[in-house]
Amino acid sequence: MPEKKDLQKDNEDIRIGVYTCYCGGNISDIVDCEKVRELTETLPNVVVSRTDMSMCSDAGQAMIEEDIRKHGVNRVVIGACAPSLHEQTFRGAVARAGLNPFLYYHVGIREQDSWVHHGNHEAATEKAIVLMNSGLAKARLLKPLKPIKLTAQKHALVIGGGVAGLRSAWDIANQDIKVTLVEKSPFLGGRMAQLETVFPTNKPARDSLHELIEKVIDHPSITIHTQAEVKSMSGYIGDFNIKIEQISRGVSSELADQEAVIDSCPVEVSDEFNYGLKTRKAIYQAYPGNFPSTLAIDWENCTLCGKCEKVNSSGIDLKKKSEIIDVNVGAVVVATGFKPYEPRQGEYGYGDFKEVITLPQMIRLLALNGKDKALMFKGRTVRNIGLIHCVGSRHVPGIHEPQEDGKVNDYCSRVCCTATLHMTNDIRQHYPDVNMYDVYEDIRTYGRNHEEYYKQASENLVRFVRFQAAEGPQVFASENGNDQPLVIKTKDYLTAGLDIEIPVDLVVLSVGFMPNPIEELTKILKINPGNDRFLQEVHPKLRPVETAVSGIILAGTAQGPMNIQESVTAASAAASKVSVLLGQGQVELEPFVADVDHDKCNGSGECVQVCPYEDAISLEEVTINGKVCKRAVVIPANCVGCGSCVSACPNRAIDIQGWTLGQYESMVDAIAEGMLALEVSA
Amino acid sequence: MATNKIKVDALVVGGGISGMQTALDLADQGYQVALVEKEASIGGKMIALSKVFPTLDCCSCITTPKMSAVAHQENITLLTYCEVDHIKQNGKGFIVGATNKPRYVDMDLCTGCRQCEYVCPVDLKNPFDNNLGAIRAIRVPFSTAVPQKVVLDIDNCILCGKCQTACAVDAIDFTQQPEEIMIETDSILLATGFEVTPKDAKKEYGNGKLLNVIDGLDMERLLAPTGPYGHVLRPSDGKEPDSIAYVQCAGSRDETLGVEYCSRVCCMYAIKQAMLLSGALPLADITIYYMDIRAFGKGYEQFYQNAKAMGIQFIKGKVAKIKEDENQNPVFRVEMVDEGGSVVEHTHDLAVLSVGMLPSFDPTPIFNVPNDTDGFIMTPDQNFSASLTMIPGIFAAGAATGPMDIVDSIMTAGSAASAASAYIKSQQNGKEESSSKIADLQKESQHA
């Protein structure tokens, strides 16, 4: 094996520094770090072996730097947390001391050892020693590597035209980075457009939203595509090639007599803007004053009857067209938002009784009802409203039924408590005679000025009834022909667990958040949802808006439940991250890509056939010793270092830089030897 | 007084997690940033915590790399032990006067070897350990401090000179004077953080006089691996407590204290500490007395449910009074809301007050930035630009704008950096857009 020969040659020069981190007790409570230090200290090539309470601290890093500078350490092995957490941190320290940052190897002895072997100190310590030993074996074979530097497109794609997407787009564009914004629906504004006022400012929702939309539309660096969806993506951070499918609107922006055109349409479908409380036509606007102001054709429901064309032939084109737009961007912001939880048939009477609606529906009902007359629902005056919290949120396995995908909605939706109380205050203001009963588990008015809504609701004589998860409220039809059609039955833990019955005209379910269905998009972008199905950030504190795919950034409620303020803040934070990534016009990629030894390659092309990526490896004509022959050539920017080609190569001519077969073998050997030694000593 | 001058794009005031993240987000975009911190090390409140919810990462693992990144980021000028004295409008930007307080140590010479600290004969209560442990009069503020340089507490120094003798590089200088720094900047970001409710705020909970009634930050230090005792011990007799109880909303949602707001972090830190305690003291009973459990963030509700499954007891009820029995055990008088509202007395070994968050720094006298009725910095456009203050060019991030946890603080830091960089760009490109927008907002909020 040639690597072993190289090792022999280099052996005398290799000076390894070994560092075992306590991780503030995370590791040292289980693993005897001092024993690890003592044993590794005696191993070949090891010059120093040290421990520290937290190696990633400035002092810990300074210690490593000093060893490199003063003690000639030229290979570094650190046993600490998972490399995903601090590999970058330590590469920085190694580089600052003047050593190639890839001459350092990170051994995970927290996630892979101390966190999974509680209560077995001895075995955990032995495992740590074995792991460190294999890290040392690799370190002896490390070679200096250079990161791959690439030009970054100063252009970002924002997916989603709700408040988070709009705000991200605007903030990014203000950093002199071009933005393309795509929105799946024909109109901008997302869920926020469906609100009337927003807490905690009580300002009209659409006024603020429209102000932002106008700014985004007017910004010279932002291009907007509505009725557009991302269809494919290739490339990498700094240089993503994205295909967007744009569906034609079917209506010209010049179209004059909008109302007559709408009236002519014979199709009536459920109006999603009003959550089904009304119907709309197949040629429609979301709401008066929406952006863009041009009507759109709902291609799914349009029967192509042509009646609208008869009213106005020049402004309407009933031929649905689709166009592919190619964009080349450096980063992608995913702001695909949420949808309100849709209760199951029969959940708190939803679907069984027409008087059971959701909070978003109630908000639309109040808007449609108007403020200066009695509150009506389906022809009846509403005098008593029951509000039930945590519908579709805070579900407990064993108590609540799982969703269709088998998962239990075990998360808190964060927004519903304040949103519900905000609404009760609105109701009290405009309908002073309505009685309200708020059936809750915990009231979570956590935000700045949110507690005020709770206080106000109490002052407004909203009656609070507290249930416990295991004994949640139930909704029944009224038995004795009461004035009120429904009755909520529950145990009330504010009154000593009494069984109480609340007759009501209307039940409003404070439904939680669900992510929008974006499975296809997540496959295209290769990003992952977490257990709660919302998109997963790398780390909530260290990299809160980044996904596992470099250059793909999260904004707003695609990541989890958030209110308007939090969505906008997250969107701005996402914009900051995009600006950090693309602002300098250059990005760096890790050099862990395939590398072909042209002396061993015979141009069999098997690597090209197994490569799952486009343009990552190909057979090219090269001149070797004056002879032209075919050899495999890697394009590093397109290679992800998956290793498929390595296993396919019949000549062992390919290796992944930084993860060579020789390195793997030495690590496996070290582990095997370590295990053997343990068995012998036992 | 010698005066140094620096010119930057942004001045960040406060070196806690929000200030560090804001500074990093701006510096990583290529802006020149000065970070001013009044303490001798950056790190803020976060660096003193044990582990953080909901991931239970050790807090140092998250904080120290950020501290280190701040120290190594070439675009950041770090000014610790430094306070802003006055500011002056300078066109659309500012000229800020700050004072480097004397550390009585030459920062260029000191190597952080701590020989002076080892020989210092003065033992003081350690503020980093919430006064639970001890520290010398000359010391590195804490083991992971940035910068790793000593600072001398001159008020408590007996001028024995031992440190001077011990110092190999002759870094100790008892004659050091305050130094003035003039910072010319286009923008200012206030990340001045929070304080917690003082322990003596509520006479019902013993006015801070009961030894075995501690607060959440005390418990953080007891649980931290770098903590004063290495064990969770109760103060009166150093015994390991078998029964620990948390009092939620001890300083929040309490009109008698003038604090009507929810402090947003206390439910989660109590649950987290309860979990850590069940690891540290497996046999101890842990009870949390609460009004509402507000586990609202990503992964928080699941964390709460895990705690319940681990056997931590949650009792709905506001603790009315804590007194002491003859063994100095705290005795709780509490209304058991879930059990018919009966009023009972429960005795525990150790009580932890889940104290709330209060504003720590009043920016009005120096920065002319007004506060809201809750005492935190007024942010007139809470929904759309939560980092804008009433003064164009001055932004705010983190808990200076109201209670929030670390995750949310980091988000606001990113958003404040975004707002500030747009402002800086518009100033430097000579565009007016951003500042006129702020003026509109201010007009609007004054009308409202």
Side-chain angles (χ1 to χ4, degrees):
Chain A
M1 276 186 280
E3 276 89 357
K4 286 261 163 87
K5 230 189 317 165
D6 288 349
L7 170 65
Q8 295 301 315
K9 196 176 68 195
D10 293 341
N11 217 3
E12 66 264 41
D13 298 320
I14 289 176
R15 296 172 63 80
I16 306 177
V18 184
Y19 304 90
T20 308
C21 182
Y22 278 28
C23 196
N26 269 304
I27 295 170
S28 59
D29 285 352
I30 312 293
V31 171
D32 182 347
C33 294
E34 291 307 322
K35 194 170 171 197
V36 176
R37 181 188 61 75
E38 260 170 48
L39 277 170
T40 49
E41 203 164 36
T42 60
L43 296 172
N45 305 102
V46 174
V47 185
V48 288
S49 183
R50 300 186 198 275
T51 56
D52 196 75
M53 182 57 87
S54 73
M55 204 60 81
C56 59
S57 70
D58 208 46
Q61 292 184 48
M63 181 168 80
I64 298 169
E65 287 174 50
E66 179 161 304
D67 284 346
I68 295 170
R69 289 200 192 93
K70 297 206 174 142
H71 300 292
V73 164
N74 58 16
R75 298 289 187 280
V76 174
V77 175
I78 297 172
C81 51
S84 57
L85 205 61
H86 285 321
E87 197 173 42
Q88 293 295 345
T89 308
F90 291 118
R91 271 191 206 150
V94 171
R96 275 199 303 278
L99 192 64
N100 182 286
F102 297 96
L103 295 177
Y104 133 67
Y105 182 67
H106 195 104
V107 184
I109 55 167
R110 191 179 74 172
E111 280 81 347
Q112 293 178 23
D113 191 358
S114 68
W115 274 4
V116 287
H117 297 299
H118 279 279
N120 198 341
H121 297 249
E122 208 169 306
T125 304
E126 283 168 358
K127 182 172 176 182
I129 292 164
V130 170
L131 289 174
M132 291 297 278
N133 214 344
S134 89
L136 277 161
K138 181 175 178 188
R140 293 188 188 99
L141 301 176
L142 286 175
K143 298 264 183 290
L145 297 173
K146 267 194 196 142
I148 302 163
K149 283 194 180 171
L150 300 164
T151 309
Q153 296 296 327
K154 287 188 100 173
H155 185 174
L157 172 72
V158 175
I159 306 172
V163 67
L166 291 162
R167 180 52 186 248
S168 278
W170 194 63
D171 280 4
I172 295 168
N174 284 336
Q175 295 305 315
D176 298 338
I177 295 169
K178 262 171 61 181
V179 178
T180 297
L181 184 146
V182 294
E183 163 59 41
K184 196 167 141 182
S185 84
F187 304 101
L188 296 172
R191 297 281 169 204
M192 189 178 173
Q194 292 166 284
L195 303 176
E196 292 303 300
T197 58
V198 285
F199 63 81
T201 54
N202 296 330
K203 282 189 186 167
R206 284 183 296 274
D207 286 5
S208 320
L209 180 66
H210 290 175
E211 199 186 309
L212 175 63
I213 294 177
E214 282 173 15
K215 283 192 302 195
V216 169
I217 290 176
D218 289 344
H219 203 294
S221 310
I222 303 177
T223 311
I224 302 171
H225 299 282
T226 52
Q227 286 173 292
E229 278 187 74
V230 171
K231 286 294 165 191
S232 74
M233 182 188 83
S234 61
Y236 38 83
I237 180 175
D239 191 18
F240 291 112
N241 289 303
I242 291 174
K243 288 194 190 301
I244 298 164
E245 184 185 27
Q246 164 90 66
I247 304 295
S248 64
R249 200 171 185 86
V251 184
S252 146
S253 59
E254 316 275 279
L255 181 88
D257 34 359
Q258 290 199 350
E259 264 176 54
V261 168
I262 294 174
D263 287 345
S264 74
C265 177
V267 180
E268 294 270 346
V269 293
S270 171
D271 173 13
E272 62 276 75
F273 181 79
N274 286 302
Y275 293 104
L277 291 180
K278 276 177 69 180
T279 58
R280 63 159 171 81
K281 299 298 180 71
I283 183 163
Y284 73 111
Q285 57 181 357
Y287 58 93
N290 58 195
F291 288 89
S293 57
T294 311
L295 302 182
I297 289 172
D298 171 0
W299 296 111
E300 215 175 296
N301 290 300
C302 173
T303 58
L304 305 176
C305 72
K307 287 197 173 132
C308 54
E309 270 182 320
K310 285 188 192 122
V311 178
N312 188 321
S313 59
S314 64
I316 295 172
D317 179 0
L318 286 179
K319 258 192 224 109
K320 180 182 175 186
K321 291 179 209 115
S322 126
E323 182 194 350
I324 295 292
I325 300 165
D326 286 292
V327 288
N328 181 211
V329 298
V332 178
V333 176
V334 186
T336 47
F338 77 102
K339 60 174 189 176
Y341 172 76
E342 177 74 16
R344 277 193 319 277
Q345 174 78 30
E347 191 174 359
Y348 301 108
Y350 186 78
D352 292 347
F353 309 119
K354 64 181 191 304
E355 298 87 357
V356 179
I357 62 173
T358 66
L359 178 64
Q361 285 179 318
M362 186 65 189
I363 291 171
R364 295 313 310 150
L365 175 66
L366 291 168
L368 294 169
N369 189 75
K371 284 170 177 164
D372 40 7
K373 49 181 190 279
L375 179 59
M376 303 289 287
F377 181 68
K378 306 247 179 199
R380 283 176 51 97
T381 309
V382 176
R383 292 197 184 83
N384 298 285
I385 303 175
L387 306 140
I388 301 177
H389 286 252
C390 296
V391 178
S393 308
R394 300 185 67 189
H395 282 177
V396 180
I399 295 177
H400 298 95
E401 276 182 47
Q403 301 300 309
E404 275 174 20
D405 59 2
K407 288 187 172 169
V408 171
N409 282 11
D410 55 3
Y411 54 88
C412 165
S413 288
R414 191 166 179 151
V415 179
C416 350
C417 278
T418 312
T420 304
L421 296 178
H422 171 63
M423 187 190 67
T424 62
N425 296 341
D426 258 7
I427 294 176
R428 174 58 73 244
Q429 194 186 339
H430 299 291
Y431 312 103
D433 299 330
V434 171
N435 297 312
M436 289 176 275
Y437 303 89
D438 186 291
V439 186
Y440 76 101
E441 217 176 330
D442 293 282
I443 292 289
R444 294 184 165 172
T445 44
Y446 60 87
R448 196 175 190 187
N449 303 333
H450 292 192
E451 193 75 13
E452 198 56 33
Y453 290 96
Y454 190 11
K455 209 178 130 193
Q456 220 178 317
S458 307
E459 286 166 5
N460 282 338
L461 301 179
V462 173
R463 268 77 156 205
F464 288 92
V465 175
R466 182 167 166 271
F467 67 90
Q468 291 185 351
E471 302 160 311
Q474 289 177 296
V475 178
F476 300 96
S478 235
E479 283 163 21
N480 48 7
N482 256 342
D483 285 349
Q484 288 82 32
L486 299 177
V487 59
I488 300 174
K489 294 186 184 177
T490 186
K491 267 193 195 309
D492 175 24
Y493 281 92
L494 294 178
T495 52
L498 287 181
D499 287 309
I500 62 163
E501 297 189 3
I502 312 163
V504 290
D505 301 300
L506 191 62
V507 172
V508 178
L509 306 178
S510 290
V511 291
F513 279 45
M514 296 278 279
N516 267 322
I518 52 161
E519 287 77 13
E520 219 171 293
L521 182 67
T522 57
K523 275 183 204 141
I524 293 169
L525 302 180
K526 302 185 184 78
I527 54 175
N528 291 315
N531 277 338
D532 57 7
R533 310 181 201 85
F534 290 95
L535 294 175
Q536 185 73 33
E537 64 284 339
V538 176
H539 189 282
K541 296 180 181 74
L542 291 172
R543 295 166 71 190
V545 295
E546 290 169 81
T547 66
V549 181
S550 303
I552 302 201
I553 310 295
L554 303 175
T557 53
Q559 195 181 356
M562 295 181 192
N563 63 32
I564 301 289
Q565 178 184 355
E566 290 155 354
S567 296
V568 171
T569 298
S572 286
S576 251
K577 184 42 78 182
V578 170
S579 177
V580 166
L581 292 176
L582 305 183
Q584 314 296 317
Q586 200 182 48
V587 290
E588 273 188 10
L589 301 183
E590 289 186 333
F592 305 131
V593 296
D595 182 42
V596 183
D597 182 344
H598 279 177
D599 292 339
K600 289 190 205 156
C601 174
N602 67 357
S604 77
E606 284 179 48
C607 50
V608 181
Q609 277 172 25
V610 298
C611 178
Y613 295 90
E614 262 174 65
D615 300 332
I617 193 163
S618 57
L619 284 184
E620 306 280 333
E621 287 190 347
V622 294
T623 312
I624 296 173
N625 297 333
K627 267 171 61 183
V628 176
C629 46
K630 290 216 161 184
R631 291 289 181 262
V633 174
V634 176
I635 297 159
N638 291 337
C639 174
V640 300
C642 71
S644 300
C645 55
V646 177
S647 58
C649 179
N651 305 311
R652 218 178 143 166
I654 314 182
D655 254 325
I656 301 297
Q657 297 191 110
W659 290 98
T660 66
L661 286 175
Q663 290 169 347
Y664 274 120
E665 279 161 4
S666 70
M667 292 174 81
V668 173
D669 286 349
I671 289 172
E673 279 163 28
M675 300 300 284
L676 198 64
L678 288 175
E679 272 168 38
V680 170
S681 69
Chain B
M1 223 189 321
T3 302
N4 295 317
K5 278 189 185 161
I6 54 174
K7 191 173 180 309
V8 290
D9 301 310
L11 167 69
V12 177
V13 183
I17 184 63
S18 304
M20 293 194 291
Q21 190 64 51
T22 307
L24 285 170
D25 279 349
L26 284 166
D28 287 346
Q29 291 179 54
Y31 295 105
Q32 288 299 316
V33 181
L35 175 62
V36 172
E37 165 58 48
K38 71 176 185 323
E39 301 294 338
S41 168
I42 52 173
K45 292 273 189 295
M46 185 177 168
I47 187 62
L49 305 181
S50 55
K51 293 185 182 181
V52 282
F53 60 82
T55 46
L56 289 185
D57 278 313
C58 94
C59 204
S60 307
C61 302
I62 312 297
T63 326
T64 52
K66 291 220 196 258
M67 293 161 71
S68 179
V70 166
H72 293 298
Q73 166 50 272
E74 287 174 357
N75 295 339
I76 298 177
T77 307
L78 181 56
L79 301 163
T80 50
Y81 220 44
C82 180
E83 284 186 56
V84 173
D85 302 316
H86 52 84
I87 72 164
K88 200 173 79 190
Q89 194 81 36
N90 175 35
K92 294 271 189 274
F94 307 90
I95 292 178
V96 177
T99 304
N100 247 338
K101 296 179 277 188
R103 295 170 87 106
Y104 303 99
V105 171
D106 187 320
M107 286 284 274
D108 295 331
L109 296 177
C110 175
T111 62
C113 73
R114 304 176 89 159
Q115 292 305 318
C116 54
E117 187 174 342
Y118 304 145
V119 299
C120 176
V122 182
D123 285 318
L124 302 166
K125 284 184 174 176
N126 185 353
F128 184 73
D129 277 336
N130 253 21
N131 296 331
L132 293 171
I135 199 167
R136 297 286 160 75
I138 186 163
R139 72 275 178 135
V140 172
F142 49 92
S143 61
T144 51
V146 169
Q148 274 283 311
K149 309 273 179 184
V150 297
V151 57
L152 172 63
D153 173 356
I154 200 79
D155 294 336
N156 289 298
C157 173
I158 55 169
L159 298 175
C160 69
K162 284 193 176 153
C163 51
Q164 231 170 1
T165 319
C167 181
V169 292
D170 218 4
I172 292 156
D173 173 6
F174 289 108
T175 66
Q176 214 174 49
Q177 294 297 312
E179 235 175 66
E180 194 172 81
I181 304 168
M182 299 301 281
I183 305 162
E184 194 183 330
T185 182
D186 283 337
S187 62
I188 296 174
L189 294 107
L190 300 174
T192 48
F194 68 97
E195 288 300 332
V196 298
T197 316
K199 252 176 275 189
D200 59 2
K202 272 191 94 66
K203 67 173 184 336
E204 294 87 341
Y205 300 155
N207 257 342
K209 296 210 170 63
L210 306 182
L211 281 176
N212 292 327
V213 178
I214 63 172
D215 72 14
L217 283 184
D218 294 336
M219 185 54 93
E220 288 294 333
R221 293 310 302 154
L222 292 177
L223 285 165
T226 55
Y229 315 135
H231 290 282
V232 178
L233 306 173
R234 69 175 199 170
S236 71
D237 49 13
K239 174 185 135 194
E240 275 193 357
D242 287 330
S243 163
I244 303 157
Y246 280 82
V247 183
Q248 295 309 108
C249 298
S252 313
R253 302 179 68 191
D254 188 337
E255 288 185 23
T256 65
L257 297 176
V259 180
E260 294 182 20
Y261 55 81
C262 164
S263 286
R264 207 168 158 154
V265 296
C266 336
C267 282
M268 288 305 294
Y269 79 61
I271 296 172
K272 171 203 73 180
Q273 291 183 356
M275 280 192 172
L276 296 177
L277 283 168
S278 15
L281 305 168
L283 298 177
D285 294 323
I286 303 157
T287 312
I288 296 180
Y289 296 92
Y290 72 98
M291 301 211 284
D292 296 278
I293 290 293
R294 295 187 164 171
F296 57 83
K298 190 168 182 171
Y300 295 5
E301 175 69 19
Q302 296 90 323
F303 193 79
Y304 167 42
Q305 295 300 338
N306 285 346
K308 281 210 264 190
M310 282 167 73
I312 290 153
Q313 210 189 348
F314 288 83
I315 295 182
K316 176 146 172 115
K318 175 89 178 152
V319 175
K321 200 175 171 61
I322 305 175
K323 54 185 189 192
E324 239 176 23
D325 70 6
E326 63 283 6
N327 298 320
Q328 291 182 299
N329 296 320
V331 181
F332 285 37
R333 190 179 166 79
V334 60
E335 182 193 348
M336 306 287 280
V337 176
D338 282 346
E339 284 165 31
S342 54
V343 175
V344 296
E345 291 201 340
H346 284 169
T347 304
H348 300 282
D349 292 342
L350 181 64
V352 186
L353 303 179
S354 288
V355 287
M357 287 166 90
L358 301 174
S360 71
F361 169 78
D362 180 4
T364 313
I366 294 173
F367 296 94
N368 199 25
V369 167
N371 297 319
D372 217 325
T373 48
D374 57 11
F376 292 95
I377 296 173
M378 181 185 280
T379 51
D381 189 6
Q382 278 200 50
N383 278 329
F384 274 81
S385 299
S387 62
L388 293 192
T389 70
M390 293 294 280
I391 305 292
I394 303 187
F395 304 85
T401 63
M404 61 180 79
D405 62 27
I406 296 164
V407 174
D408 289 336
S409 295
I410 289 172
M411 280 290 194
T412 65
S415 138
S418 188
S421 64
Y423 183 85
I424 299 164
K425 266 228 153 77
S426 73
Q427 298 316 311
Q428 294 176 352
N429 298 343
K431 284 189 222 153
E432 296 288 325
E433 188 192 344
S434 193
S435 56
S436 68
K437 157 79 185 154
I438 296 167
D440 285 350
L441 271 171
Q442 286 163 350
K443 252 184 262 156
E444 225 175 276
S445 81
Q446 273 152 9
H447 289 309

